[in-house]
Amino acid sequence: MAESKENREEVLTCPICVETFRKPVMLPCQHSFCRECIGVYADKSKPGQTDEVSCSTGSEGVDQLISCPVCRTPTSLGREGVAGLPPNFHLAEIVERLSSAVKIEDDTPYCSLCEDDNQTKAVKFCTDCCFLYCKDCLATFHPMRGAVKCHRLISSLEYHSQETSQRQTGGRDEEATPQVSCASHGQPFCLYCVPCRMVICVGCVVDHPKHAMQDIPSAAENDKPAVLNKTCKLEKVLQETKESLSGVLRLHNKIQETQELHTQEVERAYCAALEALQAWKQQSLDGIKTRYSQWSVECSAILKHFQLQAQEMERMVQASKDLVASMDVKFLQVS
């Protein structure tokens, strides 16, 4: 905690007076200083001037050139002098918010499990167990494994902020839109770090030393043109894709239609060939039947003729045998 406060003090300290910023202004190199401090520094940088010279303007009609007290980057103050430097409203807001954050840290609630005579300030609050935990109790009684692995933990600062808000509003408003806040510090996002390209809260400022900051609405407005430009390009690509899709769809439909036509032609050719084959089959069968029927009739007539002849011969053979077996007188008479 002491190290965090030291880092915050360093971030909030003017490099010239080494005190908390008062009406900070920003040079083009992104370094900020108290307006009064940079004015005095600019006056001392003028050749032949003393500390009593006005700190708000440069020499009449001449653009004063100074070096940044931190990085020594040359900077032209312009004809308005220090008065023309842009105020760093973001830094001023950070100073105000960090002052409020220090007060909130002082009001951090205590652990729910520590004994009364040895209470320690909490670092986490479990929204499922509804208990505040200090660092030691969190590791001992609420390890993130097993049955409590899926429990949601928030920082004690976020818990304190929610409790304070509920007390001020008279309870929880279920229908209210939840405030988007930092998971690490529980503070609402209010700044945008330009080099890191991320939104941060006032508690995150110590992790982004000497980084250029913007308020979220300004950063969003700055990024919206690029996003809109990309959106327009994407819309053109989408339109071209839709046109290509329509062309491919038409080609696909044409292929299906052609396939259907060819299928119908094959079906018709097959049916015609099948009908012709069936007609040839029937004609061939009829011819075979006719020819073989005629041959069968003729063969039957010949067969009947030979059968009659065979029967007649059998009778004659039997009569001859009977004659030979008869009396000699009868044999001689008949033969």
Side-chain angles (χ1 to χ4, degrees), residues 208-229:
H208 300 260
K210 299 181 181 180
H211 287 191
M213 302 289 177
Q214 286 184 312
D215 62 281
I216 291 179
S218 299
E221 288 298 324
N222 291 339
D223 283 355
K224 282 179 181 179
V227 174
L228 291 175
N229 185 31

Short mmCIF file of all heavy atoms in Angstrom, two decimals, residues 208-229:
data_model
loop_
_atom_site.label_atom_id
_atom_site.label_comp_id
_atom_site.label_asym_id
_atom_site.label_seq_id
_atom_site.Cartn_x
_atom_site.Cartn_y
_atom_site.Cartn_z
N HIS A 208 0.64 3.05 -15.62
CA HIS A 208 0.87 3.66 -16.95
C HIS A 208 1.60 5.00 -16.76
O HIS A 208 1.08 6.05 -17.14
CB HIS A 208 -0.46 3.89 -17.67
CG HIS A 208 -1.23 2.62 -17.90
ND1 HIS A 208 -1.24 1.95 -19.09
CD2 HIS A 208 -2.04 1.92 -17.05
CE1 HIS A 208 -2.01 0.88 -18.98
NE2 HIS A 208 -2.51 0.84 -17.76
N PRO A 209 2.78 4.98 -16.16
CA PRO A 209 3.48 6.25 -15.88
C PRO A 209 3.88 6.98 -17.16
O PRO A 209 4.33 6.37 -18.12
CB PRO A 209 4.71 5.79 -15.09
CG PRO A 209 4.94 4.38 -15.54
CD PRO A 209 3.59 3.80 -15.79
N LYS A 210 3.64 8.28 -17.15
CA LYS A 210 4.05 9.17 -18.25
C LYS A 210 3.40 8.81 -19.59
O LYS A 210 3.90 9.17 -20.65
CB LYS A 210 5.58 9.18 -18.40
CG LYS A 210 6.32 9.67 -17.16
CD LYS A 210 7.82 9.68 -17.37
CE LYS A 210 8.54 10.14 -16.11
NZ LYS A 210 10.01 10.16 -16.28
N HIS A 211 2.29 8.07 -19.53
CA HIS A 211 1.56 7.74 -20.77
C HIS A 211 0.55 8.84 -21.06
O HIS A 211 -0.04 9.43 -20.14
CB HIS A 211 0.82 6.40 -20.63
CG HIS A 211 1.72 5.22 -20.66
ND1 HIS A 211 1.27 3.92 -20.77
CD2 HIS A 211 3.09 5.14 -20.60
CE1 HIS A 211 2.29 3.09 -20.77
NE2 HIS A 211 3.41 3.80 -20.67
N ALA A 212 0.36 9.12 -22.34
CA ALA A 212 -0.64 10.12 -22.73
C ALA A 212 -2.03 9.55 -22.47
O ALA A 212 -2.32 8.40 -22.80
CB ALA A 212 -0.49 10.47 -24.21
N MET A 213 -2.90 10.36 -21.83
CA MET A 213 -4.24 9.92 -21.47
C MET A 213 -5.29 10.78 -22.18
O MET A 213 -5.05 11.95 -22.50
CB MET A 213 -4.46 10.03 -19.95
CG MET A 213 -3.47 9.22 -19.12
SD MET A 213 -3.77 7.45 -19.29
CE MET A 213 -2.41 6.82 -18.30
N GLN A 214 -6.44 10.19 -22.41
CA GLN A 214 -7.60 10.89 -22.95
C GLN A 214 -8.83 10.47 -22.17
O GLN A 214 -8.89 9.34 -21.65
CB GLN A 214 -7.82 10.58 -24.43
CG GLN A 214 -6.83 11.23 -25.38
CD GLN A 214 -7.18 10.93 -26.82
OE1 GLN A 214 -7.44 9.80 -27.19
NE2 GLN A 214 -7.19 11.96 -27.64
N ASP A 215 -9.81 11.37 -22.09
CA ASP A 215 -11.08 10.93 -21.51
C ASP A 215 -11.76 10.01 -22.51
O ASP A 215 -11.54 10.09 -23.73
CB ASP A 215 -11.96 12.13 -21.17
CG ASP A 215 -12.31 12.93 -22.41
OD1 ASP A 215 -11.45 13.73 -22.87
OD2 ASP A 215 -13.42 12.74 -22.93
N ILE A 216 -12.59 9.11 -22.01
CA ILE A 216 -13.20 8.06 -22.84
C ILE A 216 -14.04 8.64 -23.98
O ILE A 216 -13.92 8.17 -25.12
CB ILE A 216 -14.00 7.09 -21.96
CG1 ILE A 216 -13.02 6.30 -21.10
CG2 ILE A 216 -14.87 6.16 -22.79
CD1 ILE A 216 -13.68 5.30 -20.16
N PRO A 217 -14.90 9.65 -23.75
CA PRO A 217 -15.67 10.19 -24.88
C PRO A 217 -14.80 10.74 -26.00
O PRO A 217 -15.05 10.50 -27.18
CB PRO A 217 -16.53 11.28 -24.23
CG PRO A 217 -16.65 10.87 -22.80
CD PRO A 217 -15.34 10.23 -22.46
N SER A 218 -13.71 11.46 -25.63
CA SER A 218 -12.82 12.02 -26.66
C SER A 218 -12.10 10.91 -27.42
O SER A 218 -11.97 10.97 -28.65
CB SER A 218 -11.81 12.96 -26.02
OG SER A 218 -12.46 14.04 -25.38
N ALA A 219 -11.63 9.90 -26.67
CA ALA A 219 -10.94 8.79 -27.33
C ALA A 219 -11.87 8.05 -28.28
O ALA A 219 -11.50 7.67 -29.39
CB ALA A 219 -10.39 7.83 -26.28
N ALA A 220 -13.13 7.88 -27.82
CA ALA A 220 -14.10 7.19 -28.69
C ALA A 220 -14.38 8.01 -29.94
O ALA A 220 -14.44 7.46 -31.05
CB ALA A 220 -15.39 6.94 -27.91
N GLU A 221 -14.50 9.33 -29.78
CA GLU A 221 -14.75 10.19 -30.94
C GLU A 221 -13.56 10.17 -31.90
O GLU A 221 -13.73 10.23 -33.11
CB GLU A 221 -15.05 11.62 -30.49
CG GLU A 221 -16.39 11.80 -29.83
CD GLU A 221 -17.53 11.46 -30.78
OE1 GLU A 221 -17.41 11.75 -31.98
OE2 GLU A 221 -18.53 10.88 -30.32
N ASN A 222 -12.35 10.08 -31.34
CA ASN A 222 -11.16 10.03 -32.20
C ASN A 222 -11.08 8.73 -33.00
O ASN A 222 -10.61 8.71 -34.14
CB ASN A 222 -9.89 10.19 -31.35
CG ASN A 222 -9.75 11.57 -30.77
OD1 ASN A 222 -10.36 12.53 -31.28
ND2 ASN A 222 -8.99 11.70 -29.70
N ASP A 223 -11.53 7.63 -32.38
CA ASP A 223 -11.44 6.33 -33.05
C ASP A 223 -12.63 6.05 -33.96
O ASP A 223 -12.54 5.20 -34.85
CB ASP A 223 -11.35 5.20 -32.01
CG ASP A 223 -9.95 5.10 -31.42
OD1 ASP A 223 -9.08 5.85 -31.89
OD2 ASP A 223 -9.75 4.30 -30.50
N LYS A 224 -13.75 6.75 -33.74
CA LYS A 224 -14.94 6.46 -34.54
C LYS A 224 -14.74 6.70 -36.03
O LYS A 224 -15.21 5.89 -36.85
CB LYS A 224 -16.12 7.28 -34.02
CG LYS A 224 -16.73 6.72 -32.75
CD LYS A 224 -17.89 7.57 -32.26
CE LYS A 224 -18.48 6.99 -30.97
NZ LYS A 224 -19.59 7.81 -30.44
N PRO A 225 -14.06 7.78 -36.47
CA PRO A 225 -13.88 7.96 -37.93
C PRO A 225 -13.16 6.79 -38.58
O PRO A 225 -13.55 6.35 -39.66
CB PRO A 225 -13.05 9.25 -38.02
CG PRO A 225 -13.38 10.00 -36.78
CD PRO A 225 -13.57 8.96 -35.73
N ALA A 226 -12.10 6.28 -37.91
CA ALA A 226 -11.38 5.13 -38.50
C ALA A 226 -12.28 3.91 -38.56
O ALA A 226 -12.29 3.17 -39.55
CB ALA A 226 -10.13 4.84 -37.67
N VAL A 227 -13.07 3.71 -37.50
CA VAL A 227 -13.97 2.55 -37.49
C VAL A 227 -15.04 2.72 -38.56
O VAL A 227 -15.39 1.77 -39.27
CB VAL A 227 -14.61 2.39 -36.10
CG1 VAL A 227 -15.66 1.28 -36.11
CG2 VAL A 227 -13.54 2.07 -35.06
N LEU A 228 -15.58 3.95 -38.69
CA LEU A 228 -16.59 4.19 -39.71
C LEU A 228 -16.01 4.01 -41.10
O LEU A 228 -16.69 3.49 -42.01
CB LEU A 228 -17.17 5.62 -39.55
CG LEU A 228 -18.03 5.85 -38.31
CD1 LEU A 228 -18.43 7.31 -38.22
CD2 LEU A 228 -19.27 4.97 -38.34
N ASN A 229 -14.75 4.46 -41.29
CA ASN A 229 -14.09 4.27 -42.58
C ASN A 229 -13.95 2.79 -42.91
O ASN A 229 -14.25 2.34 -44.02
CB ASN A 229 -12.73 4.94 -42.56
CG ASN A 229 -12.03 4.89 -43.91
OD1 ASN A 229 -12.68 4.89 -44.96
ND2 ASN A 229 -10.72 4.85 -43.89
#
